[in-house]
Amino acid sequence: MKILLTLLLGAACAPLHARTPAVNPMPDGSRDMYVGLGFVSAPAYDGARRPRRMAVPVLQGEWSNGVFISGMNAGIHLSDQPSLEFGPLLAVQARRSEAGTGAALGGASLNSMMVNTSSLAPEGESPDQPGKNTRSAGPNRLSGMDVVSARLQAGGFVNVYLTPHVRLTNNVLAGAGKGSDGVIWNLGIQRVMTQFSPHHRIALAAGISVVNRSYNNSFFGVTPDEAIRSGNRAYAPGAGLNGASAGVRWHWSLTPSWLLINNVQASRVLGDARKSPLVERPNGFVLSTALAYRF
């Protein structure tokens, strides 16, 4: 699961994962912009027990030529069919330090709800028992671990509308992790509920993520050197299913220009990532709320 502590105003599950606003034909030369401020409470990183709470800015923009920006993601809609969306996608992977995953911009679109083994030890030592030169793991599992620098990821998306209110989402991004060779594939389904009030809408989303070995090793692996410094046992996860999530969002139009978006998301670390010594609690919850101005 992509490890981004971003304001998940549009989404449930992933790390952390790129969001693609729905196609909305606009007059030539027009745009639709949102700016605002939100508050998010989420695990410090995927699998962390301790929460991290912070205020984050909200930014989203769509232009009539198909270009869009949603938080830390940007892309271009190339399809002219209302039931199909596809195009290139860029996303920024936030930096992860000993403190956890850094904050990032959030997006505000209602239709942008996103879906996001073997153990190794130094020779002669048990993988479950640190050697004499390895200190015991402390309350912060990231203490002594290498910093994962921020990265620019590139890929693409293909979304299909089964009905006007149900969308299957699919995107692939490459470039994450320590060596910029991590790849994540996000699959999801989104359901916008029938509008029960002129000013209120509810949307549901669920998704899974699949990653390659490099991605898992960057965020859930522990090298022998890191094991000595951190006290975590050395661990090298493989590729495969990485996480799953589900969420619900309530969108309240206070006025034609002011929007209040509330999001609740539950996620679970899966596969080899689940067995990592860095994972303190596989289940995580994200709560967020934001006030955005549309112009």
Side-chain angles (χ1 to χ4, degrees):
M1 184 179 301
K2 191 169 184 181
I3 312 178
L4 285 178
L5 182 56
T6 186
L7 181 59
L8 300 176
L9 297 177
C13 328
L16 304 138
H17 311 285
R19 299 185 291 279
T20 56
V23 167
N24 181 21
M26 304 166 66
D28 289 345
S30 63
R31 60 170 170 75
D32 192 12
M33 298 286 295
Y34 296 84
V35 294
L37 184 67
F39 176 83
V40 62
S41 175
Y45 63 92
D46 265 5
R49 178 180 291 108
R50 69 186 189 281
R52 194 173 186 185
R53 303 177 181 92
M54 66 182 71
V56 294
V58 175
L59 172 65
Q60 179 166 303
E62 298 182 62
W63 287 264
S64 59
N65 60 4
V67 174
F68 65 85
I69 297 174
S70 182
M72 303 296 283
N73 312 297
I76 305 175
H77 282 291
L78 299 179
S79 174
D80 57 1
Q81 302 178 40
S83 61
L84 178 66
E85 303 168 351
F86 64 85
L89 188 64
L90 296 175
V92 176
Q93 167 217 300
R95 180 177 184 269
R96 192 190 75 177
S97 66
E98 292 186 357
T101 304
L105 284 169
S109 172
L110 176 65
N111 287 324
S112 66
M113 288 189 69
M114 69 182 177
V115 278
N116 220 213
T117 325
S118 59
S119 298
L120 303 179
E123 186 175 357
E125 296 176 10
S126 166
D128 293 321
Q129 297 179 351
K132 62 182 180 179
N133 294 324
T134 304
R135 68 178 178 84
S136 298
N140 180 8
R141 301 288 180 91
L142 295 184
S143 179
M145 297 292 294
D146 292 340
V147 171
V148 181
S149 300
R151 303 289 187 191
L152 179 63
Q153 301 170 274
F157 65 93
V158 177
N159 304 326
V160 177
Y161 282 86
L162 302 181
T163 74
H165 299 288
V166 178
R167 179 170 70 155
L168 296 179
T169 62
N170 171 64
N171 67 70
V172 177
L173 288 166
K178 298 175 182 177
S180 298
D181 52 359
V183 178
I184 182 168
W185 177 23
N186 301 303
L187 295 164
I189 185 169
Q190 303 165 356
R191 171 73 163 92
V192 177
M193 308 300 289
T194 302
Q195 191 165 343
F196 62 88
S197 166
H199 305 293
H200 301 273
R201 297 182 73 185
I202 292 178
L204 308 175
I208 59 172
S209 59
V210 180
V211 301
N212 68 349
R213 182 183 297 271
S214 295
Y215 188 101
N216 253 355
N217 269 304
S218 291
F219 295 106
F220 295 97
V222 181
T223 67
D225 286 343
E226 289 174 326
I228 293 173
R229 298 194 306 267
S230 68
N232 299 305
R233 62 182 173 86
Y235 182 66
L241 189 63
N242 173 269
S245 63
V248 57
R249 191 163 65 117
W250 168 37
H251 178 280
W252 182 6
S253 298
L254 302 174
T255 72
S257 297
W258 287 97
L259 311 172
L260 181 66
I261 305 107
N262 300 286
N263 182 72
V264 178
Q265 169 192 301
S267 62
R268 182 172 178 82
V269 180
L270 299 174
D272 280 8
R274 167 67 183 86
K275 304 171 188 176
S276 169
L278 301 180
V279 174
E280 302 166 329
R281 179 179 295 167
N283 298 321
F285 294 91
V286 174
L287 302 175
S288 66
T289 185
L291 182 65
Y293 180 75
R294 181 181 186 181
F295 61 95

